[in-house]
Every structure is written in C-alpha cells, then in structure tokens.
Amino acid sequence: MVEGVIINADDYAMDGGVDAAILKLSAQGVVTSTSAMVLSHAWPEAAAPLKDAPLSRGLHLDFTSPFTGDIFPRQTIAGLTMRTHSGVLDRKLLRKEIDRQLSQFETHMKALPDFVDGHQHCHLLPCIREALLDALADRYGADARRI
C-alpha cells in the first residue's frame, strides 16, 4: 500500500456481495476506507464485520437510493441538485435525516464516523453541505474538524 493514498469503496451495506468484496479487499490492503449506507436493511448485520476491518469507516450520506424515503422524500440526483440550487428543500427535514443517518452509524459502529461522503456526491450540494457541516459541529464539537 502506498502511504498517503486513500482508496475508498462506497456503498458498504448495499448488499452482501458488495460487503464481501470490500472486506476482502481491505484485508488485502487494496481498499483503505469504506462508506456505509446506513439506511439499508442490511446495515445492522453488516456493521459487525466492518468494526474489525483494517480500514477507515465513514457514513455514505444518502438521499437518492432505494433505501431512502422514511423521513426525507427520496430524490433523483437531478431533482436533488435542482432543489438544492434553488433553495426549496425543507431544511428541517434535511437536518433530521442527516442526524438520523449519523445516529444509525454511531449506534451500530459504536464510534463516530471517520469521514462523511455522499451517495452520488450529494454531500457537495448547497444546503446539504451546510446542513451536514452544522450537524457535525453540533454533534461532535471539536471532533467535527477531524471528520
């Protein structure tokens, strides 16, 4: 493994095949981090082997996969992009959903996420980025800077 290079595998907990491949590649030193889809029904069971894997573990913030929709309505990435740039997202629901996903990660990993990224890069969108940074600061204080 090259020092300083991060190779992240998204979508942990999407399905058993994805999880097995990520865990195998991490054991081989190929993958150095993974981000988890904590809204997946597989997440509670998939979290256990991830705790001992030799990699960084993060939250794969999700608003667009089939796992979403309980609090914040499921979006297409195009629709989400349009709504974030036009500022018409319900910010209270957005924050509630971010907090829910952070809580799901913490509950099953018994730790803070090492990082947060987004399914289809949604974490970079206006409104979402700001709500995520606020949530991290509110929940983790000074530790938010390392996340």
Side-chain angles (χ1 to χ4, degrees):
M1 177 168 56
V2 178
E3 190 70 28
V5 174
I6 298 169
I7 300 181
N8 187 66
D10 288 345
D11 301 339
Y12 188 84
M14 178 179 274
D15 66 46
V18 169
D19 301 349
I22 290 171
L23 293 171
K24 181 177 181 179
L25 290 169
S26 72
Q28 295 171 349
V30 175
V31 169
T32 59
S33 71
T34 191
S35 46
M37 300 183 85
V38 300
L39 299 180
S40 164
H41 297 293
W43 171 241
E45 187 176 322
L50 185 58
K51 289 178 189 176
D52 297 323
L55 42 66
S56 296
R57 291 162 285 282
L59 169 64
H60 200 48
L61 191 63
D62 183 12
F63 301 102
T64 61
S65 83
F67 306 127
T68 63
D70 290 349
I71 292 177
F72 191 84
R74 181 178 174 200
Q75 312 275 313
T76 64
I77 191 61
L80 187 61
T81 300
M82 181 187 70
R83 287 175 186 87
T84 59
H85 283 280
S86 63
V88 297
L89 286 180
D90 183 325
R91 291 175 190 256
K92 286 184 181 178
L93 280 183
L94 175 65
R95 175 60 188 266
K96 188 173 181 178
E97 181 60 36
I98 291 169
D99 284 329
R100 178 172 80 118
Q101 292 186 40
L102 287 166
S103 292
Q104 284 292 321
F105 185 93
E106 294 164 11
T107 296
H108 294 286
M109 292 306 300
K110 306 290 187 227
L112 306 182
D114 294 318
F115 62 93
V116 178
D117 66 10
H119 189 58
Q120 297 185 313
H121 308 289
C122 67
H123 65 296
L124 300 174
L125 294 171
C127 299
I128 294 175
R129 177 183 57 238
E130 289 82 8
L132 174 60
L133 292 173
D134 287 346
L136 293 173
D138 291 347
R139 291 174 77 93
Y140 308 132
D143 285 337
R145 295 185 72 77
R146 74 166 181 78
I147 297 171

